[in-house]
Amino acid sequence: PRVCVVGSGPAGFYTAQHILKHHDGAQVDIYEKLPVPFGLVRFGVAPDHPEVKNVINTFTQTARSERCAYYGNVTVGRDITVAELQQAYHAVVLSYGAEDNRVLGIPGENLSGVYSAREFVGWYNGLPENRDLKPDLSCETALILGHGNVALDIARILLSPLDLLRKTDITEGSLAALACSKVKRVWLVGRRGPLQVAFTIKELREMINLPGARPVLNPADFTGLENAVKDAPRPRKRLTELMIKTALEKPGEKTMEVQAAAPREWGLKFQRSPQEVLPTADGRRARGIRMALTRLEGSGDSAKAIPTGDVEELECGLVLSSIGYRSLPLDPAVPFDTQQGIVPNSSGRVKGVPGLYCSGWVKRGPTGVIITTMNDSFDTAQSVLEDLQVGTLDVSTSREGFGAVESVLRSRGVRPVSFSDWEKIDAAEVARGKAAGKPREKIVDPQEMLRLIGH
């Protein structure tokens, strides 16, 4: 059987890995629109979290298997259609993730100084489409809308001492911009309360311990919460206890001295919903944000934030919205639920299209960490294996796989990038990094990548 996977992030690689491991004859081809593989492991994981990128070693093993091939620089839906892939393969798995961000839908969202978390993260991580972002970091106060791990990542990058960032694979350009940054205060704002934050304890602890930055938590937000979390699940309980401790505990003298000397600060604000980004007098830039104060209806994860009618304005020259990513439809031939932002499926089988599957964020929505995506992808791969076993997928007709795709791509002037091409790019990045005392210096221009491999 020939199987094709669209997207080379964790979902794509874990799907491929599972099929190859549990079917001795299957051949898997992975298609990726960028020349370089690994999706959000390369472009989403924070530069100062190198241990999270270790999965790249596993993915590399998969790509080097003689029954696996990687074709980068191929945009499915433009260079080749899903229908054409279905003609060439017995099964097609869509694992192309979430390439867009959710919008706030408020006035002033398009002012200069307002960015989505997605593009900001893409900028400091070297995602080609965001390389020219040039965010304005000339203000003292930044405001991040959202209480997830991505919001904490951004706050940490904005406030980290430069010598910590210099040792990471953060891009040269963003490091230079952060070196000139005037930002010294970051507020993380959420519509709901401390019991509904989506970030995890590891990320929060890292933020609390960040050198040169002190946490500013309002004790009033946390009083009486001890009782409310008594019966909460352990992760939620420990997370809340850490926030309570940080907010309510009088720091020791040593800590007080360190914190008083800290040039930067960050804090959490709760029960505030953005209403409008306020413009400067010339109407061009963000100067602040108006927020509706909310009250919570219900409790726990299902609590809803209801506006009270009161509003508050906060001054800030930089606004980052970290309210989630969003998947986009890939090809008119593939059903898509615009409401939920997913391809409608059952256990990864795309509804109404036999032989078509999906895994990862395009299957279940843009939530969860790499391990969540791993389990989800194994689940889709299992569906493919079952369908092969019971004969739902007819393998009696031979399919040409990449042979058929290659001639179509050639006729359209598209030249795919192989995994050994990527390994040349990889080696060049590592060499450039070594010269600068970093694990790698990412190449951010796709044209430069292609030149490097003689395309």
Side-chain angles (χ1 to χ4, degrees):
R2 288 184 180 269
V3 179
C4 135
V5 171
V6 177
S8 71
F13 266 107
Y14 280 127
T15 305
Q17 179 190 318
H18 194 83
I19 292 172
L20 292 165
K21 183 177 169 185
H22 297 281
H23 193 299
D24 292 340
Q27 293 199 333
V28 183
D29 291 346
I30 301 173
Y31 290 88
E32 165 60 55
K33 67 173 184 175
L34 291 168
V36 295
F38 311 133
L40 283 188
V41 181
R42 178 178 163 101
F43 297 118
V45 173
D48 57 351
H49 283 175
E51 71 289 348
V52 184
K53 304 183 194 194
N54 289 340
V55 293
I56 285 179
N57 302 330
T58 319
F59 298 164
T60 299
Q61 291 317 110
T62 300
R64 285 180 180 158
S65 148
E66 61 267 28
R67 291 188 289 125
C68 185
Y70 167 84
Y71 301 104
N73 201 34
V74 176
T75 303
V76 174
R78 186 194 68 195
D79 299 337
I80 186 119
T81 66
V82 171
E84 287 168 329
L85 288 175
Q86 286 194 278
Q87 302 235 286
Y89 293 90
H90 294 105
V92 174
V93 187
L94 305 175
S95 314
Y96 63 88
E99 326 184 60
D100 199 11
N101 52 278
R102 287 176 54 199
V103 294
L104 291 163
I106 59 171
E109 184 165 15
N110 299 322
L111 289 169
S112 163
V114 184
Y115 307 93
S116 72
R118 193 196 155 80
E119 55 187 351
F120 194 77
V121 170
W123 168 70
Y124 65 64
N125 271 334
L127 184 62
E129 66 191 70
N130 302 129
R131 67 185 190 272
D132 300 322
L133 192 68
K134 298 193 175 41
D136 185 344
L137 307 176
S138 63
C139 60
E140 290 196 351
T141 304
L143 185 133
I144 303 172
L145 296 161
H147 278 167
N149 281 341
V150 175
L152 281 184
D153 278 347
I154 292 174
R156 207 176 58 251
I157 297 295
L158 282 171
L159 297 177
S160 278
L162 280 177
D163 49 351
L164 287 185
L165 293 178
R166 271 198 193 96
K167 302 182 181 74
T168 72
D169 68 359
I170 192 165
T171 62
E172 211 174 2
S174 49
L175 189 61
L178 288 162
C180 305
S181 167
K182 300 274 187 289
V183 176
K184 58 179 194 188
R185 186 180 306 106
V186 176
W187 294 113
L188 295 110
V189 179
R191 285 179 318 195
R192 301 191 296 168
L195 297 179
Q196 286 80 30
V197 294
F199 49 70
T200 45
I201 191 161
K202 175 187 173 289
E203 276 68 19
L204 177 66
R205 189 178 291 120
E206 207 177 350
M207 195 71 212
I208 291 170
N209 296 328
L210 188 67
R214 61 190 188 99
V216 183
L217 302 187
N218 181 359
D221 289 331
F222 299 93
T223 38
L225 279 192
E226 282 101 332
N227 284 334
V229 286
K230 268 216 304 277
D231 307 319
R234 189 160 177 267
R236 171 68 66 193
K237 190 174 174 204
R238 286 178 57 227
L239 175 65
T240 310
E241 282 166 354
L242 178 57
M243 287 191 283
I244 293 171
K245 179 173 178 272
T246 311
L248 303 181
E249 229 183 44
K250 287 278 171 277
E253 271 181 39
K254 185 95 183 86
T255 319
M256 278 176 81
E257 280 171 32
V258 171
Q259 289 197 346
R264 298 172 164 192
E265 60 181 26
W266 63 277
L268 300 169
K269 288 185 181 291
F270 300 101
Q271 291 181 237
R272 287 163 169 80
S273 178
Q275 272 192 332
E276 181 181 358
V277 180
L278 306 167
T280 48
D282 65 7
R284 291 197 183 154
R285 301 189 33 74
R287 65 164 173 88
I289 193 160
R290 181 185 304 119
M291 297 177 289
L293 303 186
T294 66
R295 58 182 173 81
L296 293 190
E297 258 181 26
S299 61
D301 288 343
S302 56
K304 290 254 183 295
I306 313 290
T308 59
D310 291 329
V311 296
E312 174 186 280
E313 289 188 6
L314 209 139
E315 256 185 74
C316 54
L318 178 62
V319 177
L320 295 145
S321 76
S322 183
I323 57 167
Y325 288 18
R326 198 170 65 123
S327 293
L328 297 172
L330 182 71
D331 185 306
V334 180
F336 192 79
D337 178 337
T338 43
Q339 208 50 48
Q340 293 186 66
I342 57 170
V343 170
N345 70 89
S346 151
S347 291
R349 295 176 179 92
V350 175
K351 291 193 172 155
V353 192
L356 190 59
Y357 303 81
C358 57
S359 67
W361 284 4
V362 74
K363 167 185 173 186
R364 65 164 199 280
T367 56
V369 289
I370 293 174
I371 190 87
T372 335
T373 293
M374 179 184 84
N375 292 324
D376 166 274
S377 304
F378 288 174
D379 166 64
T380 292
Q382 208 49 50
S383 295
V384 175
L385 294 167
E386 280 166 23
D387 293 354
L388 283 169
Q389 208 170 1
V390 300
T392 319
L393 289 174
D394 179 16
V395 235
S396 60
T397 50
S398 79
R399 298 284 166 96
E400 273 189 67
F402 183 68
V405 173
E406 187 177 23
S407 46
V408 175
L409 292 177
R410 192 179 300 129
S411 72
R412 291 173 190 164
V414 180
R415 287 182 68 185
V417 167
S418 70
F419 200 76
S420 57
D421 286 333
W422 147 246
E423 293 187 309
K424 285 180 201 148
I425 297 170
D426 179 43
E429 290 188 340
V430 171
R432 290 179 189 192
K434 201 171 177 189
K438 301 167 67 173
R440 76 169 59 237
E441 185 60 65
K442 287 182 190 161
I443 297 169
V444 296
D445 179 0
Q447 291 312 313
E448 190 183 337
M449 294 174 186
L450 296 175
R451 277 199 302 275
L452 194 89
I453 54 175
H455 253 48

